[in-house]
Amino acid sequence: MAIVLGPNQYGKAENRVVRIYRDSPRHEIHDVNVSTSLRGDFAAAHLAGDQGSVLPTDTQKQTAYSYAKEKGLTSIEPYGITLATHFVDDVVPVDGARVEIEEYAWERVTVDGAEHDHTFVRRGQEVRTAAITVEGKGDAQRVWLVGGLKDLTILKTTGSEFHGFLTDPYTVLEPTSDRIMATSLVARWRFASTDPADWADLDWEGLYAGVKQTMVEVFATLQSLALQQTLFEMGKAVLERYDVLAEVRLSAPNKHHFLYDLSRFGVDNPGEVFHADDRPYGLIQASVLRDDAPDAGSAWTPGAGFA
Amino acid sequence: MAIVLGPNQYGKAENRVVRIYRDSPRHEIHDVNVSTSLRGDFAAAHLAGDQGSVLPTDTQKQTAYSYAKEKGLTSIEPYGITLATHFVDDVVPVDGARVEIEEYAWERVTVDGAEHDHTFVRRGQEVRTAAITVEGKGDAQRVWLVGGLKDLTILKTTGSEFHGFLTDPYTVLEPTSDRIMATSLVARWRFASTDPADWADLDWEGLYAGVKQTMVEVFATLQSLALQQTLFEMGKAVLERYDVLAEVRLSAPNKHHFLYDLSRFGVDNPGEVFHADDRPYGLIQASVLRDDAPDAGSAWTPGAGFA
Amino acid sequence: MAIVLGPNQYGKAENRVVRIYRDSPRHEIHDVNVSTSLRGDFAAAHLAGDQGSVLPTDTQKQTAYSYAKEKGLTSIEPYGITLATHFVDDVVPVDGARVEIEEYAWERVTVDGAEHDHTFVRRGQEVRTAAITVEGKGDAQRVWLVGGLKDLTILKTTGSEFHGFLTDPYTVLEPTSDRIMATSLVARWRFASTDPADWADLDWEGLYAGVKQTMVEVFATLQSLALQQTLFEMGKAVLERYDVLAEVRLSAPNKHHFLYDLSRFGVDNPGEVFHADDRPYGLIQASVLRDDAPDAGSAWTPGAGFA
Amino acid sequence: MAIVLGPNQYGKAENRVVRIYRDSPRHEIHDVNVSTSLRGDFAAAHLAGDQGSVLPTDTQKQTAYSYAKEKGLTSIEPYGITLATHFVDDVVPVDGARVEIEEYAWERVTVDGAEHDHTFVRRGQEVRTAAITVEGKGDAQRVWLVGGLKDLTILKTTGSEFHGFLTDPYTVLEPTSDRIMATSLVARWRFASTDPADWADLDWEGLYAGVKQTMVEVFATLQSLALQQTLFEMGKAVLERYDVLAEVRLSAPNKHHFLYDLSRFGVDNPGEVFHADDRPYGLIQASVLRDDAPDAGSAWTPGAGFA
């Protein structure tokens, strides 16, 4: 029996790159958190401490910052593709690279009713994400692209039911035909193609906004019988609208809002005062995909960025 | 020599009260985090474990939830005043109460271009705050009110300088005439009056929006020679616009954005690529007030809510 | 083309169960965070909102608490196995269950030099983890068990080198033969067997302590040429010592400590004053396993507990 | 009416200084988070943007790191006093300085039963704190010193009661004669003297350990009728033991552990299974002091370090 090295990767996590475009008085800002991971034959580093094939994580960091200027950083998807492809194409021992990006959105402040040229406030709401995996060199190269968002906290004050569920001796939950439904949504969408040439004319910003809006609209308008149903319909609507996508994965905590018992004080509470609880929370996770979706390959294998 | 009890208070921190108004199909939501603290003669509890004068923190919690229905919860300031006054007026041993509130803002989602009736997304940006201190019973009662916000992350990509500073042997910082200035602002504004009757007709929502907008506009438009100068002008503009306020206190981390050195790679970087650093950060704190501002009394003495 | 449901699971995350044993004056405490996920045929819930096969997440919560009393909660591994097996065996539509547990350690305080019977302080250091996956019913049932720890922050002030690495045009890092090496270790160890009967006599507490100590000793005593090498040797030593384990997975941020440049102030700094930086950080991840390790099956597929 | 500048200060927060002593093979580590704030006449910076009196926060940072080598960093109290005094003595416009320090404790790992020379694990438990305020120059100079700790999570499984409390119409809490009492303690102790010469021979490490142990022992052994009583007795015991201290301030969240209702499942639960809730929590705050304690001056006025 021998002890051997299994799957491994290494990289630099959470490079906080801020890119300003100031070619005109109306500046633009792109504020991202970039994590890179390299895969390949790094057995010598593990088994013998030999770094001859190891490009330092510091070098990965330098490249992430420099590429923000050299190659530009507007939409995170093409920036990530360029960076990941560079590592695979230009660093001999690397045969796979994973780049994960979070983007923090800023919006212009208004002054006297007009958008200001160079002052921004950080918009909260969701964080936009992208995960790019490049595998193989030359003609064999494939690029897996996953777009996404996280921390989209969304709530509806009615239009949500939960009843008819399975029961056992530990079931004390009461069915309900009207409850608050709230979640902090994580959604990721996998692109069908693995050839970047297919995305040459893609409107990245429009696609992102459209996917988000599609999911929000389904969340709002579907009379929900369960969070599972809502999630499936959200993913389905996205796939129906965007042919370029093959799969949507959703992870949604059920952030419980408990109706507060005020009857002890002689106060009626018909769905008006709630306690928002922190823990525990439900967690519903589902994949929605085309029945002819191509194989996901390494698309969902995490790198350094998503703990 | 004897060992004695000094200042003390006790309360319930972080009650997560969510209040829905559903009197029409267009629901409203108010989502707050309420902390209460009571002050008075609680020596027996400390010295002898005698709870005869101690209204439990659980009771404070129940009251916070029930008042959201009984008294209503729209603007956080009057809700907090009503709650704090109740403790002082109705609980014999209590001669002072502090209520601190954070409000999390939600905005309606749009469906087919129209605002939805009952679905909301959590807006990030700032958290609105209020701190109410009620002292004394009957005619001697005074109410100190402090409005505020926190976590307003604001950034300008130009229009900020820093030079001409004092130097000593440990000074290696280079002066600059053009830098990114970014902060995560905490601001609080103290009301001049301590009599709630003076606020009977106040437009709480309008005041809050106006104070925030005033600060944002000064931040954007002032050519800044230092964060100190920017903060002072922000506070000054608020006081000039709102007679009802006597003092503004600002606390602003200087969130450093360091220009990244790309010259090592033969890449020019004229203010375009930055590293956003986490720690350490500068921290500038200042009070701006009218020269005839009334005494602040207990206005700034923290309760349970602001760690 | 049709849109279909892919992999899915649902459960209750972060149940904060605290179990006290008070059968003698010397109390025991077990403080855990339990997350459960159920897998099976829940298509009707997703496609039609039909909850007939869905045991509520609330029921999962109730069971986790009740089992802490009914079945006991001492070592987290057998508690988790019992809970996961229950869901698969006793809930008809469930054919797989994942239970993930974090345990927070407490240690007795000392009074007059002796351990106190019922007062404890929370030990920091690492959090112990376990992940149990039960699949299949009856004779086909298999139980995948993964023990682990996280947040073990460990540092050596010398005995760490990094040089001889690959370089490219973006490489500016200087090689070093003496640096601080620090990490916040996440380690997980997979058991070779999938039959709980094989663990009937296992000393769970002894195994955990032994695995941790083995890793700590290797970290301390190995002259490190790279974090990769250190991780591999840590995993290897664990496998060499414990036949019951088949694989160790390690994830280790390289928490950078930068030597501070004091030469500008005429102060020598031979490895004595460092800046501990937050972000970015290196991240090294590796699996170490026996060459005859059985298939990992669902052992590493996350449930609700590990975001 | 004019608008004027009120109290203000500025500084550098959260410098993460790590100091290694390596004069022998048995290394020592001191790992701290230092925040500095300067006070003085900085009106010109606020009113006119004139930085002529402003020593940059970057300079404060450089000094904090360099002093860790030049002056040494063993116990945090004398390091902080030296640093704060330097700013007041050597920077003309500064007439007050506040230095706040957190220290993260490390303990040696053991290898083959012996403490290792240069490998450490971060001990969790509490964080040690110090706050030093220096005011005035020359003979008028005074130094306020406050030692402390935070995040000491301590729990007793019995020996805690709560009954006989005041009730009102919102009181639904049941009295109890046996509950879990748990808190995450923040304690700070003010020194009586303001002249550092009085501390020339002080055993800083012994004092810290003794104060902590005294509080822990009272928490453990006092049959508690309320958290208020426990806190008072903890502070009193510290003052009775240490003449050098004048006042102790304690802030203690009541971390609720709710007995879980298992009767619905036919399971008895005599104080054995609890739910540890996150929010809301009680918060008890008290000062305990000598009746002849000198005036606290600026001892409790926060600087940049304690948000």
Side-chain angles (χ1 to χ4, degrees), chain A residues 174-200:
Chain A
E174 295 292 330
T176 179
S177 61
D178 190 8
R179 62 171 183 173
I180 287 183
M181 186 164 72
T183 191
S184 175
L185 185 69
V186 179
R188 295 187 187 179
W189 39 92
R190 174 165 63 95
F191 287 69
S193 171
T194 54
D195 179 357
D198 291 335
W199 309 319

PDB file of all heavy atoms in Angstrom, chain A residues 174-200:
ATOM      1  N   GLU A 174     -47.394  23.587  11.684  1.00  0.00           N
ATOM      2  CA  GLU A 174     -48.747  23.797  11.196  1.00  0.00           C
ATOM      3  C   GLU A 174     -48.708  24.183   9.717  1.00  0.00           C
ATOM      4  O   GLU A 174     -47.874  24.995   9.317  1.00  0.00           O
ATOM      5  CB  GLU A 174     -49.422  24.931  11.987  1.00  0.00           C
ATOM      6  CG  GLU A 174     -49.625  24.618  13.458  1.00  0.00           C
ATOM      7  CD  GLU A 174     -50.666  23.517  13.667  1.00  0.00           C
ATOM      8  OE1 GLU A 174     -51.594  23.417  12.826  1.00  0.00           O
ATOM      9  OE2 GLU A 174     -50.534  22.751  14.644  1.00  0.00           O
ATOM     10  N   PRO A 175     -49.601  23.638   8.919  1.00  0.00           N
ATOM     11  CA  PRO A 175     -49.681  24.092   7.527  1.00  0.00           C
ATOM     12  C   PRO A 175     -50.157  25.537   7.480  1.00  0.00           C
ATOM     13  O   PRO A 175     -50.826  26.021   8.394  1.00  0.00           O
ATOM     14  CB  PRO A 175     -50.709  23.148   6.903  1.00  0.00           C
ATOM     15  CG  PRO A 175     -51.470  22.578   8.044  1.00  0.00           C
ATOM     16  CD  PRO A 175     -50.568  22.578   9.235  1.00  0.00           C
ATOM     17  N   THR A 176     -49.825  26.212   6.400  1.00  0.00           N
ATOM     18  CA  THR A 176     -50.227  27.615   6.262  1.00  0.00           C
ATOM     19  C   THR A 176     -50.568  27.904   4.814  1.00  0.00           C
ATOM     20  O   THR A 176     -49.975  27.339   3.895  1.00  0.00           O
ATOM     21  CB  THR A 176     -49.119  28.568   6.730  1.00  0.00           C
ATOM     22  OG1 THR A 176     -49.571  29.910   6.533  1.00  0.00           O
ATOM     23  CG2 THR A 176     -47.838  28.380   5.926  1.00  0.00           C
ATOM     24  N   SER A 177     -51.514  28.782   4.622  1.00  0.00           N
ATOM     25  CA  SER A 177     -51.853  29.197   3.261  1.00  0.00           C
ATOM     26  C   SER A 177     -51.408  30.628   2.980  1.00  0.00           C
ATOM     27  O   SER A 177     -51.671  31.168   1.914  1.00  0.00           O
ATOM     28  CB  SER A 177     -53.355  29.064   3.038  1.00  0.00           C
ATOM     29  OG  SER A 177     -54.032  29.898   3.957  1.00  0.00           O
ATOM     30  N   ASP A 178     -50.733  31.235   3.945  1.00  0.00           N
ATOM     31  CA  ASP A 178     -50.254  32.601   3.724  1.00  0.00           C
ATOM     32  C   ASP A 178     -49.110  32.877   4.685  1.00  0.00           C
ATOM     33  O   ASP A 178     -49.323  33.023   5.891  1.00  0.00           O
ATOM     34  CB  ASP A 178     -51.389  33.619   3.953  1.00  0.00           C
ATOM     35  CG  ASP A 178     -50.988  35.019   3.492  1.00  0.00           C
ATOM     36  OD1 ASP A 178     -49.912  35.155   2.866  1.00  0.00           O
ATOM     37  OD2 ASP A 178     -51.750  35.964   3.753  1.00  0.00           O
ATOM     38  N   ARG A 179     -47.925  32.940   4.140  1.00  0.00           N
ATOM     39  CA  ARG A 179     -46.767  33.211   4.984  1.00  0.00           C
ATOM     40  C   ARG A 179     -45.831  34.174   4.262  1.00  0.00           C
ATOM     41  O   ARG A 179     -45.959  34.384   3.054  1.00  0.00           O
ATOM     42  CB  ARG A 179     -46.031  31.908   5.309  1.00  0.00           C
ATOM     43  CG  ARG A 179     -45.488  31.201   4.079  1.00  0.00           C
ATOM     44  CD  ARG A 179     -44.574  30.017   4.408  1.00  0.00           C
ATOM     45  NE  ARG A 179     -44.044  29.427   3.169  1.00  0.00           N
ATOM     46  CZ  ARG A 179     -43.127  28.476   3.134  1.00  0.00           C
ATOM     47  NH1 ARG A 179     -42.639  27.965   4.237  1.00  0.00           N
ATOM     48  NH2 ARG A 179     -42.689  28.014   1.968  1.00  0.00           N
ATOM     49  N   ILE A 180     -44.914  34.743   5.014  1.00  0.00           N
ATOM     50  CA  ILE A 180     -43.815  35.491   4.402  1.00  0.00           C
ATOM     51  C   ILE A 180     -42.835  34.483   3.820  1.00  0.00           C
ATOM     52  O   ILE A 180     -42.506  33.484   4.464  1.00  0.00           O
ATOM     53  CB  ILE A 180     -43.101  36.373   5.447  1.00  0.00           C
ATOM     54  CG1 ILE A 180     -43.974  37.587   5.816  1.00  0.00           C
ATOM     55  CG2 ILE A 180     -41.740  36.836   4.931  1.00  0.00           C
ATOM     56  CD1 ILE A 180     -43.303  38.542   6.792  1.00  0.00           C
ATOM     57  N   MET A 181     -42.359  34.736   2.619  1.00  0.00           N
ATOM     58  CA  MET A 181     -41.283  33.917   2.064  1.00  0.00           C
ATOM     59  C   MET A 181     -40.099  34.846   1.785  1.00  0.00           C
ATOM     60  O   MET A 181     -40.255  35.855   1.083  1.00  0.00           O
ATOM     61  CB  MET A 181     -41.709  33.206   0.788  1.00  0.00           C
ATOM     62  CG  MET A 181     -40.625  32.241   0.302  1.00  0.00           C
ATOM     63  SD  MET A 181     -41.229  31.018  -0.923  1.00  0.00           S
ATOM     64  CE  MET A 181     -41.451  32.062  -2.358  1.00  0.00           C
ATOM     65  N   ALA A 182     -38.963  34.495   2.350  1.00  0.00           N
ATOM     66  CA  ALA A 182     -37.777  35.338   2.185  1.00  0.00           C
ATOM     67  C   ALA A 182     -36.563  34.452   2.001  1.00  0.00           C
ATOM     68  O   ALA A 182     -36.455  33.389   2.621  1.00  0.00           O
ATOM     69  CB  ALA A 182     -37.583  36.227   3.410  1.00  0.00           C
ATOM     70  N   THR A 183     -35.666  34.909   1.182  1.00  0.00           N
ATOM     71  CA  THR A 183     -34.426  34.158   0.986  1.00  0.00           C
ATOM     72  C   THR A 183     -33.300  35.115   0.638  1.00  0.00           C
ATOM     73  O   THR A 183     -33.517  36.285   0.313  1.00  0.00           O
ATOM     74  CB  THR A 183     -34.585  33.096  -0.121  1.00  0.00           C
ATOM     75  OG1 THR A 183     -33.437  32.236  -0.100  1.00  0.00           O
ATOM     76  CG2 THR A 183     -34.706  33.733  -1.498  1.00  0.00           C
ATOM     77  N   SER A 184     -32.102  34.595   0.754  1.00  0.00           N
ATOM     78  CA  SER A 184     -30.914  35.307   0.300  1.00  0.00           C
ATOM     79  C   SER A 184     -30.328  34.426  -0.799  1.00  0.00           C
ATOM     80  O   SER A 184     -29.571  33.501  -0.542  1.00  0.00           O
ATOM     81  CB  SER A 184     -29.950  35.471   1.476  1.00  0.00           C
ATOM     82  OG  SER A 184     -28.751  36.054   1.043  1.00  0.00           O
ATOM     83  N   LEU A 185     -30.705  34.743  -2.001  1.00  0.00           N
ATOM     84  CA  LEU A 185     -30.514  33.819  -3.115  1.00  0.00           C
ATOM     85  C   LEU A 185     -29.070  33.742  -3.600  1.00  0.00           C
ATOM     86  O   LEU A 185     -28.400  34.756  -3.753  1.00  0.00           O
ATOM     87  CB  LEU A 185     -31.395  34.266  -4.296  1.00  0.00           C
ATOM     88  CG  LEU A 185     -31.416  33.339  -5.501  1.00  0.00           C
ATOM     89  CD1 LEU A 185     -32.138  32.033  -5.169  1.00  0.00           C
ATOM     90  CD2 LEU A 185     -32.098  34.014  -6.693  1.00  0.00           C
ATOM     91  N   VAL A 186     -28.638  32.495  -3.836  1.00  0.00           N
ATOM     92  CA  VAL A 186     -27.420  32.241  -4.604  1.00  0.00           C
ATOM     93  C   VAL A 186     -27.869  31.543  -5.882  1.00  0.00           C
ATOM     94  O   VAL A 186     -28.526  30.498  -5.829  1.00  0.00           O
ATOM     95  CB  VAL A 186     -26.447  31.336  -3.836  1.00  0.00           C
ATOM     96  CG1 VAL A 186     -25.190  31.074  -4.675  1.00  0.00           C
ATOM     97  CG2 VAL A 186     -26.082  31.940  -2.493  1.00  0.00           C
ATOM     98  N   ALA A 187     -27.520  32.102  -7.023  1.00  0.00           N
ATOM     99  CA  ALA A 187     -27.874  31.475  -8.303  1.00  0.00           C
ATOM    100  C   ALA A 187     -26.642  31.473  -9.197  1.00  0.00           C
ATOM    101  O   ALA A 187     -25.851  32.423  -9.190  1.00  0.00           O
ATOM    102  CB  ALA A 187     -29.005  32.239  -8.985  1.00  0.00           C
ATOM    103  N   ARG A 188     -26.493  30.389  -9.935  1.00  0.00           N
ATOM    104  CA  ARG A 188     -25.386  30.307 -10.903  1.00  0.00           C
ATOM    105  C   ARG A 188     -25.915  29.693 -12.179  1.00  0.00           C
ATOM    106  O   ARG A 188     -26.723  28.761 -12.133  1.00  0.00           O
ATOM    107  CB  ARG A 188     -24.251  29.451 -10.336  1.00  0.00           C
ATOM    108  CG  ARG A 188     -23.625  30.096  -9.108  1.00  0.00           C
ATOM    109  CD  ARG A 188     -22.411  29.341  -8.681  1.00  0.00           C
ATOM    110  NE  ARG A 188     -21.921  29.861  -7.420  1.00  0.00           N
ATOM    111  CZ  ARG A 188     -20.876  29.376  -6.788  1.00  0.00           C
ATOM    112  NH1 ARG A 188     -20.210  28.357  -7.312  1.00  0.00           N
ATOM    113  NH2 ARG A 188     -20.474  29.894  -5.662  1.00  0.00           N
ATOM    114  N   TRP A 189     -25.435  30.224 -13.290  1.00  0.00           N
ATOM    115  CA  TRP A 189     -25.911  29.716 -14.569  1.00  0.00           C
ATOM    116  C   TRP A 189     -24.715  29.320 -15.432  1.00  0.00           C
ATOM    117  O   TRP A 189     -23.799  30.073 -15.658  1.00  0.00           O
ATOM    118  CB  TRP A 189     -26.799  30.750 -15.276  1.00  0.00           C
ATOM    119  CG  TRP A 189     -26.356  32.174 -15.169  1.00  0.00           C
ATOM    120  CD1 TRP A 189     -25.560  32.857 -16.027  1.00  0.00           C
ATOM    121  CD2 TRP A 189     -26.718  33.119 -14.127  1.00  0.00           C
ATOM    122  NE1 TRP A 189     -25.392  34.155 -15.601  1.00  0.00           N
ATOM    123  CE2 TRP A 189     -26.086  34.341 -14.455  1.00  0.00           C
ATOM    124  CE3 TRP A 189     -27.513  33.053 -12.965  1.00  0.00           C
ATOM    125  CZ2 TRP A 189     -26.230  35.492 -13.650  1.00  0.00           C
ATOM    126  CZ3 TRP A 189     -27.646  34.188 -12.176  1.00  0.00           C
ATOM    127  CH2 TRP A 189     -27.014  35.375 -12.522  1.00  0.00           C
ATOM    128  N   ARG A 190     -24.808  28.097 -15.908  1.00  0.00           N
ATOM    129  CA  ARG A 190     -23.726  27.519 -16.728  1.00  0.00           C
ATOM    130  C   ARG A 190     -24.022  27.740 -18.198  1.00  0.00           C
ATOM    131  O   ARG A 190     -25.137  27.478 -18.663  1.00  0.00           O
ATOM    132  CB  ARG A 190     -23.618  26.023 -16.427  1.00  0.00           C
ATOM    133  CG  ARG A 190     -22.633  25.288 -17.323  1.00  0.00           C
ATOM    134  CD  ARG A 190     -22.270  23.915 -16.787  1.00  0.00           C
ATOM    135  NE  ARG A 190     -23.365  22.985 -16.708  1.00  0.00           N
ATOM    136  CZ  ARG A 190     -23.675  22.087 -17.656  1.00  0.00           C
ATOM    137  NH1 ARG A 190     -22.977  22.040 -18.790  1.00  0.00           N
ATOM    138  NH2 ARG A 190     -24.678  21.248 -17.494  1.00  0.00           N
ATOM    139  N   PHE A 191     -23.019  28.181 -18.921  1.00  0.00           N
ATOM    140  CA  PHE A 191     -23.159  28.401 -20.354  1.00  0.00           C
ATOM    141  C   PHE A 191     -23.042  27.059 -21.091  1.00  0.00           C
ATOM    142  O   PHE A 191     -22.276  26.189 -20.688  1.00  0.00           O
ATOM    143  CB  PHE A 191     -22.100  29.383 -20.851  1.00  0.00           C
ATOM    144  CG  PHE A 191     -22.389  30.802 -20.431  1.00  0.00           C
ATOM    145  CD1 PHE A 191     -22.289  31.194 -19.101  1.00  0.00           C
ATOM    146  CD2 PHE A 191     -22.798  31.751 -21.357  1.00  0.00           C
ATOM    147  CE1 PHE A 191     -22.583  32.492 -18.698  1.00  0.00           C
ATOM    148  CE2 PHE A 191     -23.087  33.058 -20.970  1.00  0.00           C
ATOM    149  CZ  PHE A 191     -22.980  33.419 -19.640  1.00  0.00           C
ATOM    150  N   ALA A 192     -23.812  26.922 -22.156  1.00  0.00           N
ATOM    151  CA  ALA A 192     -23.827  25.657 -22.890  1.00  0.00           C
ATOM    152  C   ALA A 192     -22.508  25.419 -23.633  1.00  0.00           C
ATOM    153  O   ALA A 192     -21.958  24.316 -23.618  1.00  0.00           O
ATOM    154  CB  ALA A 192     -24.999  25.632 -23.872  1.00  0.00           C
ATOM    155  N   SER A 193     -22.008  26.450 -24.265  1.00  0.00           N
ATOM    156  CA  SER A 193     -20.780  26.287 -25.045  1.00  0.00           C
ATOM    157  C   SER A 193     -19.560  26.255 -24.144  1.00  0.00           C
ATOM    158  O   SER A 193     -19.573  26.789 -23.026  1.00  0.00           O
ATOM    159  CB  SER A 193     -20.661  27.444 -26.039  1.00  0.00           C
ATOM    160  OG  SER A 193     -19.395  27.430 -26.666  1.00  0.00           O
ATOM    161  N   THR A 194     -18.506  25.625 -24.649  1.00  0.00           N
ATOM    162  CA  THR A 194     -17.221  25.720 -23.969  1.00  0.00           C
ATOM    163  C   THR A 194     -16.188  26.348 -24.906  1.00  0.00           C
ATOM    164  O   THR A 194     -14.982  26.223 -24.678  1.00  0.00           O
ATOM    165  CB  THR A 194     -16.734  24.335 -23.489  1.00  0.00           C
ATOM    166  OG1 THR A 194     -16.728  23.441 -24.612  1.00  0.00           O
ATOM    167  CG2 THR A 194     -17.631  23.787 -22.398  1.00  0.00           C
ATOM    168  N   ASP A 195     -16.682  27.048 -25.899  1.00  0.00           N
ATOM    169  CA  ASP A 195     -15.790  27.715 -26.856  1.00  0.00           C
ATOM    170  C   ASP A 195     -16.050  29.220 -26.794  1.00  0.00           C
ATOM    171  O   ASP A 195     -17.120  29.691 -27.198  1.00  0.00           O
ATOM    172  CB  ASP A 195     -16.083  27.198 -28.272  1.00  0.00           C
ATOM    173  CG  ASP A 195     -15.190  27.872 -29.311  1.00  0.00           C
ATOM    174  OD1 ASP A 195     -14.399  28.774 -28.951  1.00  0.00           O
ATOM    175  OD2 ASP A 195     -15.307  27.500 -30.493  1.00  0.00           O
ATOM    176  N   PRO A 196     -15.088  29.993 -26.287  1.00  0.00           N
ATOM    177  CA  PRO A 196     -15.304  31.433 -26.125  1.00  0.00           C
ATOM    178  C   PRO A 196     -15.686  32.144 -27.417  1.00  0.00           C
ATOM    179  O   PRO A 196     -16.296  33.219 -27.364  1.00  0.00           O
ATOM    180  CB  PRO A 196     -13.958  31.937 -25.599  1.00  0.00           C
ATOM    181  CG  PRO A 196     -13.320  30.758 -24.974  1.00  0.00           C
ATOM    182  CD  PRO A 196     -13.790  29.560 -25.764  1.00  0.00           C
ATOM    183  N   ALA A 197     -15.344  31.553 -28.552  1.00  0.00           N
ATOM    184  CA  ALA A 197     -15.699  32.210 -29.817  1.00  0.00           C
ATOM    185  C   ALA A 197     -17.218  32.381 -29.937  1.00  0.00           C
ATOM    186  O   ALA A 197     -17.703  33.301 -30.601  1.00  0.00           O
ATOM    187  CB  ALA A 197     -15.160  31.399 -30.998  1.00  0.00           C
ATOM    188  N   ASP A 198     -17.935  31.496 -29.301  1.00  0.00           N
ATOM    189  CA  ASP A 198     -19.401  31.590 -29.356  1.00  0.00           C
ATOM    190  C   ASP A 198     -19.953  32.794 -28.609  1.00  0.00           C
ATOM    191  O   ASP A 198     -21.130  33.122 -28.724  1.00  0.00           O
ATOM    192  CB  ASP A 198     -20.035  30.319 -28.771  1.00  0.00           C
ATOM    193  CG  ASP A 198     -19.800  29.099 -29.657  1.00  0.00           C
ATOM    194  OD1 ASP A 198     -19.601  29.302 -30.885  1.00  0.00           O
ATOM    195  OD2 ASP A 198     -19.801  27.976 -29.143  1.00  0.00           O
ATOM    196  N   TRP A 199     -19.100  33.409 -27.769  1.00  0.00           N
ATOM    197  CA  TRP A 199     -19.584  34.542 -26.960  1.00  0.00           C
ATOM    198  C   TRP A 199     -19.044  35.883 -27.469  1.00  0.00           C
ATOM    199  O   TRP A 199     -19.122  36.895 -26.756  1.00  0.00           O
ATOM    200  CB  TRP A 199     -19.175  34.361 -25.498  1.00  0.00           C
ATOM    201  CG  TRP A 199     -19.538  33.020 -24.929  1.00  0.00           C
ATOM    202  CD1 TRP A 199     -20.699  32.330 -25.144  1.00  0.00           C
ATOM    203  CD2 TRP A 199     -18.753  32.195 -24.065  1.00  0.00           C
ATOM    204  NE1 TRP A 199     -20.685  31.137 -24.458  1.00  0.00           N
ATOM    205  CE2 TRP A 199     -19.501  31.018 -23.785  1.00  0.00           C
ATOM    206  CE3 TRP A 199     -17.488  32.333 -23.479  1.00  0.00           C
ATOM    207  CZ2 TRP A 199     -19.015  30.000 -22.970  1.00  0.00           C
ATOM    208  CZ3 TRP A 199     -17.022  31.321 -22.657  1.00  0.00           C
ATOM    209  CH2 TRP A 199     -17.775  30.165 -22.422  1.00  0.00           C
ATOM    210  N   ALA A 200     -18.512  35.869 -28.664  1.00  0.00           N
ATOM    211  CA  ALA A 200     -17.816  37.069 -29.140  1.00  0.00           C
ATOM    212  C   ALA A 200     -18.723  38.294 -29.153  1.00  0.00           C
ATOM    213  O   ALA A 200     -18.277  39.409 -28.888  1.00  0.00           O
ATOM    214  CB  ALA A 200     -17.249  36.814 -30.541  1.00  0.00           C
TER     215      ALA A 200
END
